[in-house]
Structure formats: structure tokens, C-alpha cells
Amino acid sequence: MTAPFDPAQFLPDELIARIRERAAVHDRENTFPTDDLDDLRAAGYLGILVPADRGGAGLTLAEASQLQQRLAGAAPATALALNMHLVWTGVAKVLRDRGIDDLAFVQEGAARGEVFAFGISEAGNDLVLFGSDTDAAPDGAGGYRFTGTKIFTSLSPVWDHLGVHGLDATSPDGPQMVFAFLDRGDDVVARDDWDTLGMRGTQSRTTELRGAHAPAHRVVRRLPPGPQPDPLVFGIFAVFEILLASVYTGIARRAIDLAVTAATTRTSKKTGTTYANDPDIRWRVAEMALAYDALPPQLAVLAGDVDGLVDHGGRWFSLVAGVKHRAVTMAKQVVDEAVLVGGGSSYFAGSEISRLYRDVLAGMFHPSDPESAHSTAASAWLGPVA
């Protein structure tokens, strides 16, 4: 019998402790966790989803989900930033597992320690993958020049390659959505505008594409706008949502741990015993556990289904959007309860639970947002609006 996967093999306790200690500094100073990235790169973390025959660890998406939960419990912003790199390596794995090797260069680059970032989000674009306000102009040789503005571009100070999409409205077969990868250069400008309530270490700055060039060998798809079943779109959507859910589930677990510590170490003047014996505190911790316990098994099953090439047909999108939605709402509920269990000290900016309280709010801004998740689920069960 194969031994259960142990996340501590890739993220040992001493590494987690260093990353956790630095998280408060990066939050306070609004800086990118470069030291975390250096440590994780040295540990081979950038290649966890890269197959062994290409120099990676060859882990499954389900195993990567467990690792991201553990990392998020130490430093949510570091985990969320690394998510965007792992999305692309995860998509490359999804494609290769299905006999499509279009992103071999992503796997090879990640194994060398190169960082891939996710440049898809645009202000006001609720079509997300299915439309774009970025112009993709053919260069006449199979490549494209991209002009537009991307928002929430995590890893902005450190990425080597940026995966983007744009709309080609001029080719004879247009309009076509174009997915491609850019290298860092003068035609890609990151604004220094990341000053947020939480998740400050991600440094998810606004990115201006000023005719940024992707040569033909870095153009990975041309697809009609709108929803459609291309494996690249499925891979992005499934991996993105599962890994996001993993980060927020990890935050919830850390909030429970902090609440338990507070309850077992704080003493009531009224009763002379710890708050772990207070029925109201016990009820709150139980509420946190009941909410949290549902998510890790869901993530394990859905990620395992992606790994196992399970065909959920038209329900896939509602399943992965749903797990992301549940993870985010659960995590916020759990952190809210943890603040109350922790008492007045939770209100101080220097407390870890205070930082988690702010970090967890970022979940509502990631696709799929609550409106999109509900619309997707309704369509899966009721069909499209007549």
C-alpha cells in the first residue's frame, strides 16, 4: 500500500516557520516575499506539477492542493502569488495528461526555476476567459502584439513569462481569442500601484501591454470568443479554481489553530479556568470545525478527478466554481469566528488573526465571484436562460 502524501516532505516545519515569520513583515511593508520565493525555488516548489521526466517533482493536482493549503497557513499572500505560477504548470499537466503537449516549454522553464505569471484579468471584463478588451494584432509571421491593461497580475516584480489573452478582430477568421506567453521587456510595464487592504505580499500590480510581442512559438491557442470546451480553457478554469480554493481552505485551517491556541491559553477571571471550558467559545470553535471539515475532502475528490481524467461533462464548470465559492465563504466565516474567540487582541494590527481577517477578503474578487458561481450552477442544473 502506498503511504499517504505528506506535505511536510516538500514544506518542512522549519521552512514553514521562516515563511510565517516573514509574512507579517511583507504585509506591513507592502513588499514582495522574495526570500520566500528563493526558498521555495531552492526546494523545487516551482516544479511540483512538472513531470519527473522534465525535471519536476511529478506531483498530482490533489497533492499540490494539499501543499498550497499548508503554505497558505503560513503566508497567504505567498501562497496566492505562487498559485498563479502553479496555474500554468497545472494547465500544462492537464493538457499533457490528455495527450496534448502544447505547454512543454512551461514545464521545462518551471523545472529550471523560471516564474510564470497569470495576465488574464481586466477591469470590468466579467467574461474573463471568454472575452478580452486587450487588442491582439497579428505580426504577419504567426505571432501577435498585445496592447491593453491587465489587473491583479500577481508576481509582478519577479515573473519571467506572462501568460495573457487578447482579441484578434482583424484576421479573416476573426474575431478570435488569442492565448500566448510574453517575456519581460520594455513593452510590458507594471505600475507600482499595489496598496491594498490585505494580500499585500502578492504585489498583484496593474500591467500595461504596449504592443508586447509573443512570437509564433509562444502563441498557444486561437479560439472563438465565448464559452467552449477547449482543453486549454478547461485546464485554466479547473486548476485556477481548485488552487484558489486550496489557499482559502489553508487560511481557514490556520484560523482554527489560532483560535484553539487562544481558547486553551486565555483564562477567564470569572471562572478561573481557560476559555476552552466556556460553552460559548466551544460552540464557536465547533462551528469553525464543522464548516472547515467539508472542504479538504471536496478538494481532494475534485482535484483527483482532474488527475484521473474523469468526465463530468457540462457539470465540470459548476463543480469547480462551486468549490471555490464554498471555500471562500467558509474561510471568511471561520476567520470571523476566530477573531471573536481570540478576543480584543485580535483587533490589533500586529496580530496574525488580524492579518488573516484582511487577507481572506481577497477571495471575493477572484473569479468565479458569487454571482458567476451561482449563474454557472443554475445553468448546469436548469439549462440556459430561455
Side-chain angles (χ1 to χ4, degrees), residues 116-360:
F116 290 79
F118 198 73
I120 298 294
S121 296
E122 299 168 344
N125 179 17
D126 57 359
L127 294 171
V128 194
L129 292 174
F130 305 139
S132 177
D133 294 326
T134 296
D135 178 64
D139 67 0
Y144 279 86
R145 294 193 177 276
F146 292 83
T147 301
T149 302
K150 303 292 184 176
I151 60 172
F152 295 124
T153 311
S154 300
L155 300 164
S156 281
V158 296
W159 61 259
D160 299 295
H161 313 283
L162 181 66
V164 301
H165 74 341
L167 185 67
D168 173 6
T170 61
S171 293
D173 63 346
Q176 292 284 314
M177 293 295 303
V178 182
F179 292 81
F181 285 80
L182 307 171
D183 293 337
R184 188 178 288 275
D186 293 340
D187 50 9
V188 182
V189 177
R191 300 177 190 166
D192 188 8
D193 61 354
W194 189 248
D195 188 10
T196 50
L197 180 66
M199 289 292 186
R200 288 158 63 83
T202 65
Q203 290 302 300
S204 306
R205 302 172 184 178
T206 301
T207 303
E208 299 176 11
L209 308 179
R210 301 176 177 178
H213 186 240
H217 67 284
R218 288 294 180 261
V219 176
V220 296
R221 278 296 186 283
R222 296 179 75 254
L223 301 169
Q228 42 91 15
D230 187 89
L232 179 77
V233 173
F234 165 75
I236 293 173
F237 201 86
V239 177
F240 188 90
E241 299 289 72
I242 287 170
L243 291 182
L244 273 178
S246 302
V247 167
Y248 289 96
T249 299
I251 293 174
R253 173 53 193 265
R254 178 60 179 169
I256 294 175
D257 290 342
L258 291 172
V260 168
T261 298
T264 55
T265 57
R266 294 174 63 221
T267 300
S268 167
K269 292 290 186 182
K270 183 188 301 183
T271 65
T273 186
T274 66
Y275 280 99
N277 295 309
D278 184 299
D280 293 326
I281 295 298
R282 295 180 69 84
W283 183 87
R284 289 193 185 282
V285 173
E287 277 288 285
M288 296 164 70
L290 290 170
Y292 165 80
D293 282 344
L295 263 297
Q298 293 179 47
L299 285 167
V301 169
L302 279 178
D305 284 354
V306 174
D307 291 323
L309 281 65
V310 174
D311 183 10
H312 288 296
R315 289 204 61 214
W316 254 124
F317 289 94
S318 68
L319 288 171
V320 293
V323 78
K324 181 268 177 182
H325 173 74
R326 289 190 295 277
V328 167
T329 55
M330 174 276 295
K332 187 176 185 303
Q333 173 193 345
V334 166
V335 174
D336 283 347
E337 296 285 0
V339 168
L340 294 172
V341 173
S345 63
S346 302
Y347 193 59
F348 283 82
S351 74
E352 184 176 356
I353 194 63
S354 171
R355 176 165 50 78
L356 297 186
Y357 185 82
R358 291 180 290 107
D359 283 347
V360 81

Side-chain angles (χ1 to χ4, degrees), residues 63-154:
E63 291 166 341
S65 170
Q66 291 184 56
L67 285 172
Q68 283 296 90
Q69 291 173 56
R70 180 168 169 80
L71 181 58
T78 297
L80 185 60
L82 266 293
N83 245 24
M84 302 312 163
H85 167 88
L86 294 176
V87 166
W88 285 125
T89 60
V91 172
K93 172 179 162 47
V94 166
L95 293 178
R96 195 186 191 208
D97 287 349
R98 288 154 180 78
I100 305 166
D101 208 16
D102 295 349
L103 295 184
F105 67 92
V106 171
Q107 295 181 331
E108 293 163 355
R112 292 191 296 267
E114 296 170 10
V115 176
F116 290 79
F118 198 73
I120 298 294
S121 296
E122 299 168 344
N125 179 17
D126 57 359
L127 294 171
V128 194
L129 292 174
F130 305 139
S132 177
D133 294 326
T134 296
D135 178 64
D139 67 0
Y144 279 86
R145 294 193 177 276
F146 292 83
T147 301
T149 302
K150 303 292 184 176
I151 60 172
F152 295 124
T153 311
S154 300

